[in-house]
PDB file of all heavy atoms in Angstrom:
ATOM      1  N   ARG B 118     -86.745 201.221  -4.920  1.00 76.00           N
ATOM      2  CA  ARG B 118     -86.755 199.777  -5.134  1.00 76.00           C
ATOM      3  C   ARG B 118     -86.550 199.020  -3.838  1.00 76.00           C
ATOM      4  O   ARG B 118     -87.233 198.039  -3.569  1.00 76.00           O
ATOM      5  CB  ARG B 118     -85.605 199.391  -6.068  1.00 76.00           C
ATOM      6  CG  ARG B 118     -85.884 199.686  -7.510  1.00 76.00           C
ATOM      7  CD  ARG B 118     -84.615 199.513  -8.307  1.00 76.00           C
ATOM      8  NE  ARG B 118     -84.354 198.112  -8.570  1.00 76.00           N
ATOM      9  CZ  ARG B 118     -84.464 197.559  -9.789  1.00 76.00           C
ATOM     10  NH1 ARG B 118     -84.857 198.283 -10.798  1.00 76.00           N
ATOM     11  NH2 ARG B 118     -84.195 196.295  -9.974  1.00 76.00           N
ATOM     12  N   ALA B 119     -85.591 199.474  -3.051  1.00 76.00           N
ATOM     13  CA  ALA B 119     -85.244 198.758  -1.819  1.00 76.00           C
ATOM     14  C   ALA B 119     -86.443 198.694  -0.877  1.00 76.00           C
ATOM     15  O   ALA B 119     -86.574 197.773  -0.072  1.00 76.00           O
ATOM     16  CB  ALA B 119     -84.076 199.433  -1.136  1.00 76.00           C
ATOM     17  N   LYS B 120     -87.343 199.676  -1.017  1.00 82.00           N
ATOM     18  CA  LYS B 120     -88.522 199.710  -0.150  1.00 82.00           C
ATOM     19  C   LYS B 120     -89.648 198.857  -0.727  1.00 82.00           C
ATOM     20  O   LYS B 120     -90.459 198.313   0.002  1.00 82.00           O
ATOM     21  CB  LYS B 120     -89.011 201.157  -0.025  1.00 82.00           C
ATOM     22  CG  LYS B 120     -88.872 201.730   1.388  1.00 82.00           C
ATOM     23  CD  LYS B 120     -89.035 203.215   1.385  1.00 82.00           C
ATOM     24  CE  LYS B 120     -90.375 203.656   1.947  1.00 82.00           C
ATOM     25  NZ  LYS B 120     -90.492 205.148   1.930  1.00 82.00           N
ATOM     26  N   MET B 121     -89.708 198.782  -2.060  1.00 88.00           N
ATOM     27  CA  MET B 121     -90.820 198.084  -2.704  1.00 88.00           C
ATOM     28  C   MET B 121     -90.525 196.600  -2.961  1.00 88.00           C
ATOM     29  O   MET B 121     -91.411 195.764  -2.863  1.00 88.00           O
ATOM     30  CB  MET B 121     -91.158 198.749  -4.046  1.00 88.00           C
ATOM     31  CG  MET B 121     -91.531 200.218  -3.951  1.00 88.00           C
ATOM     32  SD  MET B 121     -92.925 200.530  -2.834  1.00 88.00           S
ATOM     33  CE  MET B 121     -94.280 199.791  -3.754  1.00 88.00           C
ATOM     34  N   PHE B 122     -89.275 196.290  -3.352  1.00 92.00           N
ATOM     35  CA  PHE B 122     -88.946 194.903  -3.704  1.00 92.00           C
ATOM     36  C   PHE B 122     -88.451 194.147  -2.473  1.00 92.00           C
ATOM     37  O   PHE B 122     -87.884 194.737  -1.564  1.00 92.00           O
ATOM     38  CB  PHE B 122     -87.823 194.856  -4.747  1.00 92.00           C
ATOM     39  CG  PHE B 122     -88.159 195.468  -6.076  1.00 92.00           C
ATOM     40  CD1 PHE B 122     -89.386 196.073  -6.318  1.00 92.00           C
ATOM     41  CD2 PHE B 122     -87.227 195.441  -7.103  1.00 92.00           C
ATOM     42  CE1 PHE B 122     -89.672 196.637  -7.555  1.00 92.00           C
ATOM     43  CE2 PHE B 122     -87.511 196.003  -8.341  1.00 92.00           C
ATOM     44  CZ  PHE B 122     -88.727 196.604  -8.561  1.00 92.00           C
ATOM     45  N   LEU B 123     -88.608 192.842  -2.492  1.00 93.00           N
ATOM     46  CA  LEU B 123     -88.011 192.006  -1.452  1.00 93.00           C
ATOM     47  C   LEU B 123     -86.486 192.043  -1.602  1.00 93.00           C
ATOM     48  O   LEU B 123     -85.984 192.142  -2.724  1.00 93.00           O
ATOM     49  CB  LEU B 123     -88.489 190.549  -1.593  1.00 93.00           C
ATOM     50  CG  LEU B 123     -89.953 190.273  -1.277  1.00 93.00           C
ATOM     51  CD1 LEU B 123     -90.289 188.813  -1.597  1.00 93.00           C
ATOM     52  CD2 LEU B 123     -90.254 190.574   0.189  1.00 93.00           C
ATOM     53  N   PRO B 124     -85.762 191.934  -0.503  1.00 92.00           N
ATOM     54  CA  PRO B 124     -84.293 191.948  -0.596  1.00 92.00           C
ATOM     55  C   PRO B 124     -83.797 190.868  -1.553  1.00 92.00           C
ATOM     56  O   PRO B 124     -84.234 189.722  -1.479  1.00 92.00           O
ATOM     57  CB  PRO B 124     -83.850 191.638   0.831  1.00 92.00           C
ATOM     58  CG  PRO B 124     -85.000 192.035   1.696  1.00 92.00           C
ATOM     59  CD  PRO B 124     -86.238 191.830   0.877  1.00 92.00           C
ATOM     60  N   GLY B 125     -82.915 191.249  -2.454  1.00 92.00           N
ATOM     61  CA  GLY B 125     -82.325 190.282  -3.378  1.00 92.00           C
ATOM     62  C   GLY B 125     -83.055 190.165  -4.700  1.00 92.00           C
ATOM     63  O   GLY B 125     -82.522 189.616  -5.661  1.00 92.00           O
ATOM     64  N   VAL B 126     -84.288 190.681  -4.764  1.00 94.00           N
ATOM     65  CA  VAL B 126     -85.081 190.548  -5.995  1.00 94.00           C
ATOM     66  C   VAL B 126     -84.625 191.580  -7.029  1.00 94.00           C
ATOM     67  O   VAL B 126     -84.504 192.759  -6.726  1.00 94.00           O
ATOM     68  CB  VAL B 126     -86.591 190.711  -5.705  1.00 94.00           C
ATOM     69  CG1 VAL B 126     -87.375 190.889  -6.998  1.00 94.00           C
ATOM     70  CG2 VAL B 126     -87.103 189.520  -4.928  1.00 94.00           C
ATOM     71  N   ARG B 127     -84.359 191.115  -8.258  1.00 93.00           N
ATOM     72  CA  ARG B 127     -83.929 192.012  -9.329  1.00 93.00           C
ATOM     73  C   ARG B 127     -85.107 192.741  -9.957  1.00 93.00           C
ATOM     74  O   ARG B 127     -85.110 193.948 -10.084  1.00 93.00           O
ATOM     75  CB  ARG B 127     -83.209 191.199 -10.407  1.00 93.00           C
ATOM     76  CG  ARG B 127     -81.868 190.622  -9.958  1.00 93.00           C
ATOM     77  CD  ARG B 127     -81.380 189.584 -10.957  1.00 93.00           C
ATOM     78  NE  ARG B 127     -81.508 190.078 -12.314  1.00 93.00           N
ATOM     79  CZ  ARG B 127     -80.547 190.712 -12.990  1.00 93.00           C
ATOM     80  NH1 ARG B 127     -79.373 190.899 -12.426  1.00 93.00           N
ATOM     81  NH2 ARG B 127     -80.744 191.139 -14.219  1.00 93.00           N
ATOM     82  N   ARG B 128     -86.111 191.981 -10.363  1.00 93.00           N
ATOM     83  CA  ARG B 128     -87.315 192.552 -10.986  1.00 93.00           C
ATOM     84  C   ARG B 128     -88.495 191.665 -10.644  1.00 93.00           C
ATOM     85  O   ARG B 128     -88.416 190.438 -10.801  1.00 93.00           O
ATOM     86  CB  ARG B 128     -87.168 192.568 -12.515  1.00 93.00           C
ATOM     87  CG  ARG B 128     -86.385 193.734 -13.072  1.00 93.00           C
ATOM     88  CD  ARG B 128     -87.128 195.058 -13.023  1.00 93.00           C
ATOM     89  NE  ARG B 128     -88.302 195.089 -13.881  1.00 93.00           N
ATOM     90  CZ  ARG B 128     -88.270 195.458 -15.159  1.00 93.00           C
ATOM     91  NH1 ARG B 128     -87.143 195.829 -15.731  1.00 93.00           N
ATOM     92  NH2 ARG B 128     -89.374 195.463 -15.870  1.00 93.00           N
ATOM     93  N   PRO B 129     -89.610 192.226 -10.178  1.00 94.00           N
ATOM     94  CA  PRO B 129     -90.782 191.377  -9.904  1.00 94.00           C
ATOM     95  C   PRO B 129     -91.293 190.738 -11.198  1.00 94.00           C
ATOM     96  O   PRO B 129     -91.022 191.230 -12.289  1.00 94.00           O
ATOM     97  CB  PRO B 129     -91.818 192.362  -9.347  1.00 94.00           C
ATOM     98  CG  PRO B 129     -91.050 193.578  -8.957  1.00 94.00           C
ATOM     99  CD  PRO B 129     -89.871 193.642  -9.884  1.00 94.00           C
ATOM    100  N   GLY B 130     -91.990 189.635 -11.063  1.00 96.00           N
ATOM    101  CA  GLY B 130     -92.559 188.946 -12.216  1.00 96.00           C
ATOM    102  C   GLY B 130     -94.010 188.570 -11.934  1.00 96.00           C
ATOM    103  O   GLY B 130     -94.373 188.300 -10.786  1.00 96.00           O
ATOM    104  N   ILE B 131     -94.828 188.550 -12.983  1.00 96.00           N
ATOM    105  CA  ILE B 131     -96.230 188.164 -12.821  1.00 96.00           C
ATOM    106  C   ILE B 131     -96.370 186.658 -13.060  1.00 96.00           C
ATOM    107  O   ILE B 131     -95.937 186.146 -14.084  1.00 96.00           O
ATOM    108  CB  ILE B 131     -97.151 188.909 -13.809  1.00 96.00           C
ATOM    109  CG1 ILE B 131     -97.020 190.428 -13.638  1.00 96.00           C
ATOM    110  CG2 ILE B 131     -98.608 188.489 -13.606  1.00 96.00           C
ATOM    111  CD1 ILE B 131     -97.814 191.230 -14.674  1.00 96.00           C
ATOM    112  N   ALA B 132     -96.972 185.991 -12.090  1.00 96.00           N
ATOM    113  CA  ALA B 132     -97.176 184.541 -12.194  1.00 96.00           C
ATOM    114  C   ALA B 132     -98.627 184.267 -12.565  1.00 96.00           C
ATOM    115  O   ALA B 132     -99.536 184.571 -11.795  1.00 96.00           O
ATOM    116  CB  ALA B 132     -96.841 183.867 -10.868  1.00 96.00           C
ATOM    117  N   ALA B 133     -98.853 183.694 -13.739  1.00 94.00           N
ATOM    118  CA  ALA B 133    -100.217 183.358 -14.151  1.00 94.00           C
ATOM    119  C   ALA B 133    -100.474 181.889 -13.855  1.00 94.00           C
ATOM    120  O   ALA B 133     -99.551 181.075 -13.864  1.00 94.00           O
ATOM    121  CB  ALA B 133    -100.410 183.620 -15.634  1.00 94.00           C
ATOM    122  N   ILE B 134    -101.721 181.562 -13.594  1.00 93.00           N
ATOM    123  CA  ILE B 134    -102.086 180.175 -13.320  1.00 93.00           C
ATOM    124  C   ILE B 134    -102.751 179.593 -14.559  1.00 93.00           C
ATOM    125  O   ILE B 134    -103.700 180.169 -15.089  1.00 93.00           O
ATOM    126  CB  ILE B 134    -103.007 180.101 -12.094  1.00 93.00           C
ATOM    127  CG1 ILE B 134    -102.266 180.687 -10.889  1.00 93.00           C
ATOM    128  CG2 ILE B 134    -103.417 178.662 -11.813  1.00 93.00           C
ATOM    129  CD1 ILE B 134    -103.160 180.958  -9.720  1.00 93.00           C
ATOM    130  N   PHE B 135    -102.213 178.478 -15.033  1.00 91.00           N
ATOM    131  CA  PHE B 135    -102.755 177.779 -16.196  1.00 91.00           C
ATOM    132  C   PHE B 135    -103.303 176.434 -15.733  1.00 91.00           C
ATOM    133  O   PHE B 135    -102.832 175.884 -14.741  1.00 91.00           O
ATOM    134  CB  PHE B 135    -101.650 177.517 -17.225  1.00 91.00           C
ATOM    135  CG  PHE B 135    -101.415 178.625 -18.206  1.00 91.00           C
ATOM    136  CD1 PHE B 135    -101.110 179.903 -17.778  1.00 91.00           C
ATOM    137  CD2 PHE B 135    -101.463 178.380 -19.571  1.00 91.00           C
ATOM    138  CE1 PHE B 135    -100.862 180.924 -18.695  1.00 91.00           C
ATOM    139  CE2 PHE B 135    -101.216 179.393 -20.497  1.00 91.00           C
ATOM    140  CZ  PHE B 135    -100.919 180.662 -20.057  1.00 91.00           C
ATOM    141  N   PRO B 136    -104.263 175.876 -16.458  1.00 89.00           N
ATOM    142  CA  PRO B 136    -104.736 174.529 -16.137  1.00 89.00           C
ATOM    143  C   PRO B 136    -103.788 173.480 -16.730  1.00 89.00           C
ATOM    144  O   PRO B 136    -103.092 173.757 -17.697  1.00 89.00           O
ATOM    145  CB  PRO B 136    -106.097 174.461 -16.818  1.00 89.00           C
ATOM    146  CG  PRO B 136    -105.953 175.350 -18.013  1.00 89.00           C
ATOM    147  CD  PRO B 136    -104.987 176.440 -17.621  1.00 89.00           C
ATOM    148  N   SER B 137    -103.764 172.296 -16.132  1.00 92.00           N
ATOM    149  CA  SER B 137    -103.028 171.173 -16.724  1.00 92.00           C
ATOM    150  C   SER B 137    -103.697 169.880 -16.281  1.00 92.00           C
ATOM    151  O   SER B 137    -104.565 169.890 -15.406  1.00 92.00           O
ATOM    152  CB  SER B 137    -101.566 171.171 -16.275  1.00 92.00           C
ATOM    153  OG  SER B 137    -101.417 170.478 -15.059  1.00 92.00           O
ATOM    154  N   HIS B 138    -103.269 168.771 -16.888  1.00 91.00           N
ATOM    155  CA  HIS B 138    -103.832 167.478 -16.515  1.00 91.00           C
ATOM    156  C   HIS B 138    -103.534 167.124 -15.059  1.00 91.00           C
ATOM    157  O   HIS B 138    -104.190 166.275 -14.471  1.00 91.00           O
ATOM    158  CB  HIS B 138    -103.290 166.379 -17.439  1.00 91.00           C
ATOM    159  CG  HIS B 138    -103.875 166.426 -18.816  1.00 91.00           C
ATOM    160  ND1 HIS B 138    -105.205 166.179 -19.060  1.00 91.00           N
ATOM    161  CD2 HIS B 138    -103.335 166.717 -20.022  1.00 91.00           C
ATOM    162  CE1 HIS B 138    -105.447 166.306 -20.358  1.00 91.00           C
ATOM    163  NE2 HIS B 138    -104.326 166.643 -20.961  1.00 91.00           N
ATOM    164  N   GLN B 139    -102.504 167.752 -14.480  1.00 92.00           N
ATOM    165  CA  GLN B 139    -102.140 167.465 -13.089  1.00 92.00           C
ATOM    166  C   GLN B 139    -102.660 168.523 -12.125  1.00 92.00           C
ATOM    167  O   GLN B 139    -102.324 168.479 -10.941  1.00 92.00           O
ATOM    168  CB  GLN B 139    -100.612 167.387 -12.939  1.00 92.00           C
ATOM    169  CG  GLN B 139     -99.906 166.499 -13.941  1.00 92.00           C
ATOM    170  CD  GLN B 139    -100.256 165.046 -13.747  1.00 92.00           C
ATOM    171  OE1 GLN B 139    -100.404 164.592 -12.623  1.00 92.00           O
ATOM    172  NE2 GLN B 139    -100.421 164.325 -14.846  1.00 92.00           N
ATOM    173  N   GLY B 140    -103.439 169.483 -12.618  1.00 91.00           N
ATOM    174  CA  GLY B 140    -103.905 170.576 -11.765  1.00 91.00           C
ATOM    175  C   GLY B 140    -103.232 171.878 -12.165  1.00 91.00           C
ATOM    176  O   GLY B 140    -102.542 171.931 -13.178  1.00 91.00           O
ATOM    177  N   PRO B 141    -103.443 172.939 -11.370  1.00 92.00           N
ATOM    178  CA  PRO B 141    -102.938 174.254 -11.771  1.00 92.00           C
ATOM    179  C   PRO B 141    -101.411 174.300 -11.827  1.00 92.00           C
ATOM    180  O   PRO B 141    -100.733 173.696 -11.012  1.00 92.00           O
ATOM    181  CB  PRO B 141    -103.462 175.188 -10.678  1.00 92.00           C
ATOM    182  CG  PRO B 141    -103.795 174.317  -9.526  1.00 92.00           C
ATOM    183  CD  PRO B 141    -104.185 172.992 -10.103  1.00 92.00           C
ATOM    184  N   ILE B 142    -100.900 175.025 -12.812  1.00 95.00           N
ATOM    185  CA  ILE B 142     -99.462 175.263 -12.924  1.00 95.00           C
ATOM    186  C   ILE B 142     -99.221 176.772 -12.989  1.00 95.00           C
ATOM    187  O   ILE B 142    -100.148 177.539 -13.239  1.00 95.00           O
ATOM    188  CB  ILE B 142     -98.851 174.606 -14.184  1.00 95.00           C
ATOM    189  CG1 ILE B 142     -99.492 175.182 -15.458  1.00 95.00           C
ATOM    190  CG2 ILE B 142     -99.023 173.095 -14.153  1.00 95.00           C
ATOM    191  CD1 ILE B 142     -98.707 174.873 -16.700  1.00 95.00           C
ATOM    192  N   VAL B 143     -97.976 177.154 -12.741  1.00 96.00           N
ATOM    193  CA  VAL B 143     -97.610 178.565 -12.728  1.00 96.00           C
ATOM    194  C   VAL B 143     -96.738 178.881 -13.935  1.00 96.00           C
ATOM    195  O   VAL B 143     -95.793 178.141 -14.215  1.00 96.00           O
ATOM    196  CB  VAL B 143     -96.805 178.874 -11.442  1.00 96.00           C
ATOM    197  CG1 VAL B 143     -96.217 180.272 -11.501  1.00 96.00           C
ATOM    198  CG2 VAL B 143     -97.685 178.711 -10.221  1.00 96.00           C
ATOM    199  N   ILE B 144     -97.069 179.960 -14.646  1.00 97.00           N
ATOM    200  CA  ILE B 144     -96.183 180.444 -15.699  1.00 97.00           C
ATOM    201  C   ILE B 144     -95.732 181.850 -15.314  1.00 97.00           C
ATOM    202  O   ILE B 144     -96.555 182.717 -15.040  1.00 97.00           O
ATOM    203  CB  ILE B 144     -96.878 180.453 -17.074  1.00 97.00           C
ATOM    204  CG1 ILE B 144     -97.357 179.024 -17.394  1.00 97.00           C
ATOM    205  CG2 ILE B 144     -95.933 180.975 -18.159  1.00 97.00           C
ATOM    206  CD1 ILE B 144     -97.747 178.775 -18.807  1.00 97.00           C
TER     207      ILE B 144
END
Side-chain angles (χ1 to χ4, degrees):
Chain B
R118 282 170 79 110
K120 246 166 106 180
M121 302 303 291
F122 296 2
L123 291 175
V126 167
R127 292 167 46 93
R128 278 287 294 271
I131 302 175
I134 300 167
F135 273 57
S137 87
H138 287 294
Q139 310 293 322
I142 61 165
V143 171
I144 302 194

